[in-house]
Each structure stands twice: as structure tokens, then as C-alpha cells.
């Protein structure tokens, strides 16, 4: 499905300077941070492209008109930290997940191969011409990816902010359904709702969610905070029962 989306992006007009923002329906991102991040990547990309071009001109002085793919000077992927909410919008996993979520992908050099994991080309082809107009192809290293600071991008992940019925529906169809610990909703999720000091909460790797802590409203992105005030201010348990 995600590779199909990549193919659609590649088919759009405008050349190979597009990136795919990978966002699931239970993820909130701060739009302002993503805009700053994209601007920063463009700035750094211009500088890196100059460096790559200068190196090529030095190594191949008989060639000119270098056509350099963006993967040589812009990140092929980006990952960001997550705040994982659990049970309701005022509780989150503590300490935070060690997993850094993939959210930015170069569709021209990267393919999804398992869940949300990708494999990217390590080299890309640069074309250039000589004095006679003949075209030459040069292999150069791709730039690879980066882990970004949460000041630029942070995922607010609401995967477990669901009613018990919604969780059962999720577990019946999602990509990790075969890994869910037997009876997790009855033995762990329901117990946590009764006693929020309950620990080892992850449904496939319990220790990955050691415990939960209270989430301050100031920690939420503005869109999520607005939603909280509109829907849940008078009842935190909007997501907890089987309404």
C-alpha cells in the first residue's frame, strides 16, 4: 500500500524533488515544526549540493552539466521521537518509546519492505556531458537519513487511545495482530484503567511501555489540544469506556 503511494507520487509532474510524509490516522504532528523542518532541509540541501558538485568537478574536470539526483544532497528518510498516549489524552507512556518513528521518505530511492520499514539505495546515478556532448553516468553515494530533534518534529501517537471495542477491532486487522499477547485487553488494558500505576503495558513487548504518566495540555500540539477541549474536557473517559 505504501509502495503504491510512492509510485503515485513519482508519477506526478515536477521532477524528482518530492518527499512522502508518512502519517497514519492516529498520529498528530505539529504543522509549524514540519514547515520549519522542510525549510531547514532545503537550506542544508542547497549547501550540500554545492559540495557534491564541487567534488564532481574536481574528480571529473573533463565533464560538465552535472545532473545530480536529490538523494545525493537531501535526506532519503527522517525519523522523529514519539509521545505515545495510552488509554486517554491525558496519559502517555513513560519513559518514552525508544522507537523513532519514520515519517519522511524519498519515494525515488526507498521502498517499504515490512510494516513501516524501508530499504534505500546506497548510490545514485549522476549524469554529465563531455566536450563532444556524450553523456556519462557516475555513481555517487546517497545521503542516507537522519534522526531529527523534537524541536523540529515530534509524533503524538494515539494508537491506544481507544475504547475496548475499538482496540479489539484494531487488533483483528492490523499488521501486528498475530503478535498480541493473549487476553491483553482484559488482563492489562482494563486493569490499567482501574489502577494507572500498572506497569509493562505494551501488547506485544510488555517492557516497551513501562508505565504511564500524566500529560499536560501544554505538551499537546495545538490541533490535539483543541480537540481535547471540544470533545473531552468534561470527561477524560471519552476514550476509555465502550460508548
Amino acid at each position: 500500500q505504501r509502495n503504491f503511494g510512492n509510485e503515485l507520487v513519482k508519477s506526478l509532474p515536477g521532477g524528482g524533488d518530492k518527499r512522502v510524509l508518512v502519517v497514519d490516522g492516529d498520529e498528530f504532528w505539529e504543522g509549524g515544526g514540519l514547515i520549519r523542518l522542510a525549510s531547514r532541509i532545503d537550506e542544508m540541501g542547497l549547501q550540500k549540493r554545492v559540495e557534491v558538485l564541487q567534488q564532481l568537478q574536481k574528480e571529473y574536470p573533463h565533464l560538465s552539466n552535472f545532473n545530480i539526483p536529490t538523494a545525493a544532497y537531501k535526506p532519503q528518510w527522517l525519523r522523529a521521537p514519539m509521545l505515545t498516549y495510552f488509554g486517554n489524552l491525558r496519559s502517555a507512556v513513560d519513559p518514552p518509546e525508544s522507537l523513532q518513528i519514520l515519517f519522511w521518505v524519498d519515494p525515488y530511492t526507498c521502498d517499504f519492505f515490512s510494516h513501516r520499514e524501508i530499504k534505500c539505495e546506497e548510490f545514485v546515478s549522476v549524469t554529465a556531458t563531455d566536450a563532444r556532448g556524450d553523456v556519462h553516468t557516475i555513481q555517487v553515494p546517497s545521503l542516507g537519513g537522519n534522526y531529527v530533534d523534537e524541536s523540529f518534529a515530534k509524533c503524538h501517537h494515539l494508537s491506544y487511545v481507544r475504547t475496548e471495542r475499538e482496540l479489539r477491532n484494531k487488533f483483528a486487522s492490523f499488521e501486528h495482530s498475530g503478535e498480541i499477547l493473549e487476553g491483553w485487553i482484559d488482563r492489562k488494558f482494563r486493569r490499567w484503567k482501574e489502577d494507572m500505576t500498572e506497569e509493562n503495558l505494551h501488547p506485544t513487548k510488555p517492557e516497551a511501555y513501562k508505565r504511564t504518566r500524566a500529560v499536560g495540555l501544554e505538551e499537546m500540539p495545538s490541533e490535539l489540544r483543541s480537540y481535547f477541549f471540544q470533545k473531552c474536557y468534561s470527561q477524560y473517559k471519552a476514550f476509555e469506556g465502550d460508548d
Side-chain angles (χ1 to χ4, degrees):
Q1 182 181 2
R2 289 188 171 115
N3 284 328
F4 177 74
N6 281 359
E7 291 300 319
L8 287 179
V9 171
K10 289 159 63 175
S11 70
L12 297 174
D17 194 23
K18 302 179 184 67
R19 294 295 182 270
V20 173
L21 190 63
V22 184
V23 180
D24 285 349
D26 55 11
E27 297 168 8
F28 279 78
W29 297 78
E30 295 191 45
L34 293 177
I35 292 172
R36 292 195 307 274
L37 177 63
S39 177
R40 179 61 174 158
I41 288 173
D42 285 342
E43 292 174 8
M44 297 178 66
L46 289 174
Q47 178 181 346
K48 182 63 177 178
R49 187 182 187 283
V50 170
E51 295 174 3
V52 173
L53 177 58
Q54 289 175 341
Q55 184 64 32
L56 288 168
Q57 290 171 332
K58 181 179 179 181
E59 294 183 17
Y60 304 95
H62 61 293
L63 300 179
S64 60
N65 300 320
F66 293 93
N67 183 14
I68 307 172
T70 56
Y73 57 88
K74 286 188 177 181
Q76 294 168 283
W77 55 264
L78 295 174
R79 290 181 178 270
M82 289 191 291
L83 181 61
T84 305
Y85 295 74
F86 192 91
N88 60 61
L89 290 175
R90 298 305 301 274
S91 300
V93 171
D94 182 53
E97 288 190 74
S98 58
L99 175 67
Q100 301 276 290
I101 193 166
L102 177 73
F103 72 99
W104 178 287
V105 174
D106 174 7
Y108 304 94
T109 63
C110 299
D111 290 311
F112 290 91
F113 69 90
S114 175
H115 305 323
R116 203 167 175 160
E117 297 302 316
I118 55 172
K119 182 174 179 58
C120 300
E121 297 175 11
E122 297 181 2
F123 293 87
V124 290
S125 299
V126 173
T127 58
T129 55
D130 59 25
R132 296 184 303 178
D134 294 332
V135 178
H136 299 257
T137 301
I138 305 162
Q139 295 294 305
V140 301
S142 304
L143 190 59
N146 285 308
Y147 294 85
V148 303
D149 184 90
E150 66 178 43
S151 62
F152 281 107
K154 182 177 183 178
C155 176
H156 294 257
H157 192 200
L158 276 60
S159 184
Y160 298 97
V161 181
R162 301 171 188 259
T163 66
E164 291 183 12
R165 183 181 298 113
E166 289 169 340
L167 279 173
R168 293 184 196 280
N169 291 337
K170 171 186 172 72
F171 289 167
S173 60
F174 87 143
E175 55 199 13
H176 300 287
S177 58
E179 305 169 29
I180 302 298
L181 297 175
E182 184 176 356
W184 180 84
I185 292 176
D186 297 327
R187 291 189 299 101
K188 187 60 68 170
F189 186 71
R190 189 175 295 169
R191 189 182 303 167
W192 173 86
K193 290 193 296 181
E194 297 170 353
D195 178 7
M196 292 187 181
T197 64
E198 184 75 16
E199 296 191 347
N200 298 320
L201 300 168
H202 196 280
T204 65
K205 299 178 180 178
E207 66 280 0
Y209 290 179
K210 183 61 180 175
R211 63 184 68 86
T212 60
R213 66 168 178 83
V215 175
L217 293 175
E218 72 282 355
E219 297 181 69
M220 300 180 184
S222 58
E223 299 85 355
L224 187 56
R225 188 164 55 246
S226 296
Y227 180 81
F228 173 79
F229 280 118
Q230 291 170 10
K231 302 291 184 180
C232 312
Y233 181 69
S234 61
Q235 47 176 348
Y236 285 1
K237 299 185 182 296
F239 295 106
E240 293 182 339
D242 273 346
D243 301 341

